[in-house]
Each structure stands twice: as C-alpha cells, then as structure tokens.
Amino acid sequence: MKYAVSANQMREIDRHTIEDIGIPACVLMEKAGMAVAERAKLLFPKEGKIISICGYGNNGGDGIVAARILFQAGYQVAIFMVGDRTQATKETRRQLRIAKNLGVSVMRKAEPDEYIGIIDAVFGTGLSRPVIGELRALFLQINASGAKVLSVDIPSGVCADNGALLGAAVKADVTVTFGWQKVGCLLYPGAEYAGKVYVDDIGFAGFMEPPKRFYFDERPSALLPVRKKDAHKGSCGKVLVIAGSKNMSGAAYFAAAAVYRMGAGLVRVITASENREVLQRQLPEAVLATYEVSEGMLTAESVEQIKEAVFWADVILLGPGIGTGAVGASLVNYVISNCKVPLVVDADAITVLSRMISEKAGWDISERLHYTAKLLPAGTILTPHKKELSLLTGIPLADLVAGLMDNSAACTYQNELIYVKKDARTIVSFGESDYINVTGNSGMATAGSGDVLGGMIAGLLAQGESPRMAAMSGCYLHGMAGDVAAARKGKHSMLAGDILEAIPAVLTEQLYH
C-alpha cells in the first residue's frame, strides 16, 4: 500500500520537516533538484538544447537547481523565469543567484519549439487559481512543441487535490514528485498529463496524521488470500449469485464465472428460468436454480428456493442484470431483509435500492445515506457508477462528474458501508479514507465489465477477505485483468469475456503471456 497526499497535507509535511524537525529548506530544494536532474539525464539526450521554465515559488527553485546540475554535467541548458519576480521566495532567489554565478544562461524569452527537452517547474502543488493569459499560452506552446517534458512535483496547471486542469496545464512525459504521490497525478485528467510518475525520497519527516488517500502498487500474489494445502470446496467459500433476467443471461455468467476464477469453492446462481440452458452450457461448474414468474411476481415456490439459498450462502452477490421491475424489487427486498452474510450490491439492485430510498422524498443527502446504512447489513459493498451513485445518494450527477473523491465524506456517512465508485479511476470509499485504483484502461468501458468486477469482489470475500480489502483488491486485480485483455485484444476490441479470461494470467503473474 502506498499513500497519496493533497496540497494541504504536503504543505504541512513541508512545514513540519523544516520548522519542527529542523531540516533547512535549502537542503530539501537541493535534493529535489538533484532528483529532477537525474531523471532528466535519462530522458533528455546530451546533444540539443534544454530549457528549465521556472516560476518564482519553491517549485521554480527546484527547477533552477536541476538546470544548474545539468549545466555542470555538460548539458546545453538554460533557465527561463516566468511570473511575478517580486513574489520570489528566499530560496529561489538564492538558487537563481548561484546558477547565474556558475554561468547558466537566464533567458529573457523562450520559444518552446526550439528545445528538445523542457523542465516544467512553474507551479507546484499549491496552485488553486485558473491559469490564464501569457502563462496559458506558454503551456499550450509547450504541449505543441514536440519536446520531451519533465514536470517537477506535478504538471503545472494540474490541481494536486483532484487532478482537474486549472484552465490549462503542461502535458508531461515524466513527472518527478517528492516524498509521496500526489492525488492529482492519480486522478484523471491529471494522471494523463503527468505521464510516467517517479516518487523520490528527498528527506521529508513524514505524516503527523495517518493519510486518508492511498493506492496499491503490489504484485497480485500479495493481495490473494492464503490457500491452505488441505483446502476443499467447502472451506473456500460458498457464494450465491442472484443475477440475470429474461434475455440477460450474460450478467449471471460473467459474475458467477468471475467468482470461480478468483478461487471460491462453490457458486450457486439464481436466475430467470429462461437462462437455464445457456448457463448450464456456459458454466456447468455452477449450481443452478431458476425462478418462475406468475403475473409479474415470483411464485411461492421460487421464494422458498431463494430463502434456502440465502441461508446456504457465505457471501451474496446481488444485482447484475436482475431488472428493475417488480421481480427485481422483490429479490432486492428479500435479500436485504434476510441477509446475514457479506453482501455485494451491484447494478440493477442499486437502482432498485435508490428507488426505495427515494420514497423518503425531501430528505437531504446525509439522511438518505443514514437510511441506506439502516437498510443494509454492516460491511455491505455497493458498486455504483456515477449515475447510480447520484440516484442512490442524492448527490447531483454534475458534482460527481467533477470529482468522485470530493464527495467521499458524504458517501461514507456510515462507516459500515463500502462504496466502490466506478470510473476511469475507481474510488473505494469507507469511513474517511479513499482507495484510488490505478489499474485498468478505457477498453474496460464495455458491457459486462462491472459484472466481472462484482464477481471478483465476491470471490475474495468468500475466501475470508474483509469487505474493505476485498473491494480494494478486487478493483486492483480487475484492472490488471483489463490491462492484460487490452494487451491481447486491443482497447477497441476487448470484451468483458476477455477480462474474465485474463484473470488466471493476473493471479499467476503471467501478465502478458
């Protein structure tokens, strides 16, 4: 597990390191500049001109140090200062004076397309205002120059807290950041603008309070439950998958097959009777039970069958493709009223649940979330995409589009619930913490991908993972399977079945074979 920090956290860490611990700011700046210079030597050829474009804050000072070190190593490097020189920090003024004394050229004007390499050290993590005017034009010139770009700490113009572009931003090939990853380099569009990110230790003292944002950068085997040598199908967990409806057999197949692929011992599928033949053919390993509908409602025999299955299960996955009509509503009502085991609520079940909550018209967001927590067993995992999350919580869709993590506090009104907020960067929220999933790709925006995710999470739960760990690990491994599928089939051509078939390659760490 690795931590990601916001702008405010980074400011407090910086202050604590300098003021409380006593490490001088000039030492941190020198080490930061050295780290940038070492990465620059790998990115930029020694032949050709390099420009370090620096602001007057401490981020600019880091860029000046890097330019000076490169100059002393024989690179053709110059410095171009931008911004209000009256706002220059003490350390940046000192570093600029040192660079001039050593003979580094400080340009009055710079045309980005004249250089093969550009160091972007204009703004650091503290930027909060939009980039306008000449700076905006400069950033667009840098992006159009064709030069290789290395950003210092975070690409200038990217918000460190949520990855948003503040008017305009530099698009880097490489970003060198210090101490810890920045949240803005993990979330889109900032993640795209940051390019390859390197996190270098320059001697920061550490956290005063435990960080609330984190991500994984682990081998898959590190996230898998231990499988005992004397394991049997009963000891590896029994999962009930309630999924699929008439003409929606695929949802049940993808979810149930993913549960098995993750290592669960037994899977029982409850689905519409019309799906029996196709599921028996596609997944003969599953125990299949089908329900009948009479006059738009489940028959009494079907209700008894569901009751027995709910009692049998160690874990329940509810929702993929069940429909949002009367039958789907009956399934959701029965399960959430009687479930005593870990529960994953996905897809249509979330829509049905949101309608149940919407009957309490006029409640504010916190009241809706409190009611949701009362309806569901503690530890329930919900897996909504943005529209479903908006329906469930009452948070306006536009606010969720602007930033899934900005609403984390609201989405975790009750710590017992875990929200897997699906997006290009899926966010798993619980309590006051957020896990940011960094695996996966745009090819996963295909029907059935979410069904596979729900099954993977349920499979991990069945083997004893905690709901929080199952949600996080499931997202991480699901994204890795998507990356393998994209490598094999291409992002335009991959299907949910390709993600499913890539799971064994991920779990055995044969990632691209």
Side-chain angles (χ1 to χ4, degrees):
M1 184 182 296
K2 296 189 176 181
Y3 297 115
V5 298
S6 65
N8 284 338
Q9 285 176 303
M10 202 61 236
R11 276 193 291 270
E12 180 57 22
I13 290 167
D14 196 57
R15 183 209 63 76
H16 174 62
T17 302
I18 295 168
E19 297 179 11
D20 300 339
I21 303 301
I23 299 175
C26 62
V27 171
L28 295 175
M29 186 173 286
E30 189 72 17
K31 293 180 74 173
M34 290 173 65
V36 171
E38 290 306 307
R39 298 292 180 186
K41 289 175 183 177
L42 298 174
L43 183 64
F44 305 141
K46 209 163 188 178
E47 305 76 21
K49 297 191 297 181
I50 301 167
I51 188 76
S52 185
I53 302 177
C54 305
Y56 285 97
N58 284 340
N59 188 259
D62 299 340
I64 295 168
V65 173
R68 181 241 299 165
I69 292 171
L70 289 172
F71 176 78
Q72 291 181 295
Y75 284 78
Q76 301 176 61
V77 61
I79 295 168
F80 178 51
M81 302 299 299
V82 297
D84 184 356
R85 70 179 62 190
T86 66
Q87 299 299 310
T89 66
K90 175 184 174 182
E91 295 303 331
T92 297
R93 288 198 302 270
R94 176 186 295 172
Q95 292 297 345
L96 186 58
R97 184 169 62 252
I98 293 170
K100 287 179 177 178
N101 290 343
L102 287 169
V104 183
S105 297
V106 179
M107 310 295 291
R108 293 178 177 272
K109 184 179 180 182
E111 297 295 336
D113 57 8
E114 295 178 359
Y115 298 89
I116 63 164
I118 297 172
I119 296 174
D120 155 41
V122 181
F123 296 122
T125 58
L127 181 67
S128 57
R129 65 184 185 279
V131 176
I132 59 174
E134 292 182 0
L135 274 180
R136 184 178 189 277
L138 175 62
F139 290 179
L140 296 178
Q141 282 183 293
I142 291 172
N143 294 344
S145 68
K148 291 287 186 182
V149 178
L150 186 157
S151 285
V152 178
D153 215 13
I154 192 168
S156 294
V158 171
C159 177
D161 294 330
N162 58 21
L165 306 185
L166 297 171
V170 173
K171 195 166 190 178
D173 297 283
V174 168
T175 296
V176 180
T177 197
F178 312 119
W180 295 273
Q181 176 67 282
K182 307 306 180 289
V183 171
C185 288
L186 293 178
L187 300 178
Y188 286 104
E192 182 179 0
Y193 275 68
K196 175 67 175 177
V197 180
Y198 294 94
V199 182
D200 284 339
D201 179 11
I202 62 170
F204 286 119
F207 300 105
M208 281 61 69
E209 296 180 2
K212 298 175 182 178
R213 311 285 183 258
F214 50 93
Y215 62 103
F216 287 151
D217 183 12
E218 309 285 347
R219 294 177 67 90
S221 57
L223 300 176
L224 294 177
V226 175
R227 200 171 184 89
K228 295 181 179 180
K229 292 183 179 180
D230 61 348
H232 54 84
K233 62 184 179 183
S235 65
C236 291
K238 299 176 294 184
V239 179
L240 174 62
V241 176
I242 303 177
S245 54
K246 184 178 179 180
N247 298 324
M248 288 290 288
S249 63
Y253 166 71
F254 289 131
V259 175
Y260 265 136
R261 286 295 192 191
M262 292 306 294
L266 283 166
V267 178
R268 181 181 290 191
V269 179
I270 290 183
T271 189
S273 59
E274 292 86 352
N275 296 334
R276 175 178 292 277
E277 184 177 344
V278 66
L279 285 176
Q280 285 179 328
R281 184 172 63 252
Q282 288 183 311
L283 194 64
E285 297 89 347
V287 178
L288 184 63
T290 58
Y291 58 76
E292 299 288 343
V293 176
S294 176
E295 298 182 355
M297 299 297 293
L298 293 169
T299 64
E301 294 81 1
S302 295
V303 171
E304 284 301 311
Q305 185 171 236
I306 293 166
K307 179 179 179 181
E308 188 275 328
V310 168
F311 179 78
W312 167 88
D314 297 323
V315 172
I316 299 174
L317 169 57
L318 170 67
I322 62 172
T324 58
V327 172
S330 296
L331 292 169
V332 172
N333 269 299
Y334 184 83
V335 172
I336 66 173
S337 299
N338 295 278
C339 181
K340 306 297 183 185
V341 297
L343 174 65
V344 181
V345 180
D346 185 35
D348 289 340
I350 293 176
T351 301
V352 170
L353 184 63
S354 68
R355 288 178 183 171
M356 294 167 61
I357 297 166
S358 294
E359 293 174 359
K360 307 295 183 180
W363 285 9
D364 63 22
I365 292 169
S366 64
E367 288 172 319
R368 290 171 67 91
L369 289 159
H370 181 66
Y371 185 63
T372 305
K374 287 174 63 178
L375 283 176
L376 298 171
T380 294
I381 300 170
L382 300 107
T383 62
H385 55 59
K386 284 180 286 193
K387 185 175 180 180
E388 291 168 339
L389 185 62
S390 178
L391 291 172
L392 187 64
T393 64
I395 299 171
L397 181 59
D399 291 351
L400 295 172
V401 170
L404 277 177
M405 209 167 62
D406 294 343
N407 298 280
S408 292
C411 290
T412 52
Y413 184 80
Q414 294 291 319
N415 291 355
E416 291 88 351
L417 300 185
I418 297 151
Y419 287 80
V420 177
K421 299 180 285 188
K422 296 184 291 193
D423 200 20
R425 282 285 194 250
T426 292
I427 308 295
V428 180
S429 297
F430 48 87
E432 296 182 347
S433 298
D434 290 300
Y435 161 78
I436 304 169
N437 191 60
V438 298
T439 59
N441 60 82
S442 60
M444 300 175 75
T446 186
S449 177
D451 304 327
V452 175
L453 173 61
M456 293 178 74
I457 293 172
L460 290 167
L461 281 171
Q463 297 169 81
E465 291 281 31
S466 70
R468 293 181 180 183
M469 193 65 188
M472 295 185 291
S473 298
C475 289
Y476 185 75
L477 297 171
H478 178 252
M480 293 188 83
D483 290 337
V484 172
R488 290 174 173 175
K489 300 295 180 70
K491 294 175 184 176
H492 290 85
S493 298
M494 60 187 282
L495 303 173
D498 300 319
I499 301 172
L500 179 66
E501 293 306 313
I503 293 173
V506 171
L507 301 192
T508 57
E509 299 182 352
Q510 307 293 315
L511 296 186
Y512 294 99
H513 297 284

